[in-house]
């Protein structure tokens, strides 16, 4: 099985269309069906009207998917179970530093960056002090749960994964050191899961054997492989396709002028023309992978 997994927190643009088309191409080459999964764990940003628009966009583009529609928001108990397992294995810990405290500390200390260019977590003791962390724990302050990456790596190593071409052609081992990510958040104060945790749990539960997604998620695969090993989940085959870049050379987004698919449709684009344009603008993945890895290092 394959899956296209957009987040209904805004309208889809040509980059999302490319991802859906890359799944369609893999489906045609392998005979595997494509599931549609709404990654809607962020209840404050995801909205039903964006989900409706996504369904309309899929129809308009003519991309077939295998029902039922899956929603992560209906699966919180499943993620809580997975987190409980990681808790009992002693590979996650509660963390009390707030986002604001983390950002202020990272700026002041020039914290090393993770592969997405965000500051790597320096630890509660460094950020708020060990005594304050203890105090917050004692008073039952809300906590995020973080993966203890050093312990995880000690248990499962630094697992590689297998990349395949756009039609499932060829195999190459791929590897990014998961330690570059540091102690990633697996559950937040306001959301009992995170992208990393829910995506690996769902891919296994839904029988996803091939994951076709953008090269912006190439480095995140290192975290996903660690979680798959810790949770005893099967290893899928991956294809990270190239991205559609904006005029500023960055991944297409609303902030660099990406038009929504709905707006393009209204402006007179046909689905066929949009399909061709998304394919034409796909940047070769190696360039993007190299660029995303450059994010790791000193601030
Ligand atoms: N929800 C993610 C996105 O919209 C995709 C996640 C994935 O394919 O693993 O970028």
């Amino acid at each position: 099985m394959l899956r296209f997994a957009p987040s209904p927190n805004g309208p889809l643009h040509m980059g999302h269309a490319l991802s859906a088309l890359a799944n369609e191409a893999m489906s045609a080459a392998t005979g595997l069906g494509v599931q549609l999964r709404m990654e809607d764990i962020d209840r404050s940003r995801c909205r039903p009207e964006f989900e409706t628009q996504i369904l309309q966009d899929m129809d308009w583009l003519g991309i077939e998917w295998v029902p039922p529609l899956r929603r992560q928001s209906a699966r919180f108990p499943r993620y809580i179970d997975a987190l409980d397992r990681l808790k009992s294995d002693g590979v996650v810990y509660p963390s009390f530093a707030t986002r604001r405290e983390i950002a202020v500390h990272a700026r002041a200390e020039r914290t090393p960056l993770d592969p997405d260019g965000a500051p790597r977590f320096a630890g509660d003791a460094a950020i708020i002090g060990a005594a304050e962390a203890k105090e917050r724990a004692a008073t039952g302050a809300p906590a995020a749960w973080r993966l203890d990456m050093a312990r995880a790596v000690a248990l499962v190593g630094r697992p590689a994964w297998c990349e395949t071409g756009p039609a499932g052609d060829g195999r190459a081992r791929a590897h990014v050191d998961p330690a570059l990510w540091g102690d990633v958040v697996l559950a937040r104060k306001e959301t009992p899961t995170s992208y990393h945790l829910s995506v690996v749990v769902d891919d296994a539960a839904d029988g996803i054997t091939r994951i076709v997604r953008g090269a912006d998620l190439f480095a995140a695969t290192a975290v996903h492989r660690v979680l798959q090993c810790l949770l005893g989940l099967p290893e899928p085959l991956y294809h990270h396709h190239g991205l559609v870049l904006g005029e500023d050379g960055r991944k297409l987004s609303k902030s660099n002028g990406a038009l929504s698919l709905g707006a393009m449709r209204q402006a007179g684009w046909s689905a066929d023309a949009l399909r061709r344009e998304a394919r034409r603008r796909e940047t070769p993945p190696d360039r993007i992978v190299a660029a995303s890895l450059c994010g790791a290092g000193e601030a």
Side-chain angles (χ1 to χ4, degrees):
M1 270 291 167
L2 309 166
R3 88 297 194 276
F4 173 53
S7 286
N9 56 13
L12 300 189
H13 52 60
M14 210 191 298
H16 300 106
L18 178 61
S19 212
L21 292 170
N23 272 285
E24 182 188 61
M26 183 70 85
S27 172
T30 59
L32 299 168
V34 182
Q35 296 176 4
L36 180 58
R37 179 199 299 154
M38 295 292 159
E39 298 214 325
D40 59 351
I41 55 173
D42 184 345
R43 304 309 296 142
S44 63
R45 294 177 60 219
C46 293
R47 298 217 216 104
E49 56 268 34
F50 292 131
E51 184 181 299
T52 306
Q53 276 178 33
I54 291 173
L55 295 173
Q56 286 168 354
D57 291 339
M58 295 290 281
D59 261 7
W60 179 64
L61 281 170
I63 293 174
E64 286 177 19
W65 53 276
V66 181
L69 174 64
R70 291 149 206 266
R71 292 188 187 88
Q72 290 191 322
S73 56
R75 295 171 157 187
F76 285 119
R78 201 186 265 187
Y79 312 135
I80 293 168
D81 280 354
L83 186 68
D84 282 346
R85 176 160 170 194
L86 298 173
K87 284 180 190 171
S88 53
D89 289 346
V91 285
V92 290
Y93 63 88
S95 161
F96 298 93
T98 63
R99 276 179 220 226
R100 201 181 142 70
E101 287 165 339
I102 294 170
V104 168
H105 175 267
R107 264 198 306 275
E109 300 296 323
R110 300 177 66 79
T111 306
L113 303 181
D114 71 19
D116 273 355
R120 213 180 298 158
F121 183 62
D124 277 358
I127 297 167
I128 52 175
E132 175 63 20
K134 223 170 142 192
E135 170 72 20
R136 290 189 198 179
T139 56
W145 285 86
R146 288 183 177 271
L147 181 64
D148 182 340
M149 188 60 90
R151 194 162 150 65
V153 165
L155 286 172
V156 302
R158 299 165 198 266
W161 69 90
C162 200
E163 280 280 329
T164 182
D169 43 315
R171 300 280 186 277
R173 289 310 275 175
H175 182 260
V176 171
D177 184 355
L180 290 175
W181 288 99
D183 294 353
V184 291
V185 170
L186 294 189
R188 297 193 176 280
K189 289 169 199 166
E190 64 287 1
T191 310
T193 186
S194 65
Y195 162 60
H196 294 309
L197 182 61
S198 37
V199 83
V200 297
V201 168
D202 281 345
D203 286 335
D206 293 339
I208 305 300
T209 47
R210 291 176 188 233
I211 295 182
V212 177
R213 61 185 180 189
D216 51 327
L217 292 167
F218 180 85
T221 311
V223 177
H224 302 170
R225 289 289 302 121
V226 166
L227 290 173
Q228 285 158 1
C229 292
L230 289 171
L231 293 167
L233 304 175
E235 175 188 351
L237 194 58
Y238 289 87
H239 170 63
H240 289 95
H241 59 77
L243 304 178
V244 179
L245 302 185
E247 279 178 10
D248 56 0
R250 305 181 72 126
K251 189 173 86 146
L252 206 57
S253 70
K254 232 191 267 164
S255 59
N256 61 8
L259 281 182
S260 70
L261 297 183
M264 294 182 79
R265 187 162 66 229
Q266 272 170 19
W269 282 77
S270 72
D272 274 351
L274 193 130
R275 282 170 164 262
R276 280 194 302 274
E277 181 68 0
R279 285 292 191 194
R280 190 186 68 74
R281 288 185 55 184
E282 178 176 3
T283 299
D286 334 359
R287 238 186 74 194
I288 297 159
V289 169
S292 82
L293 291 183
C294 289
E298 298 299 313

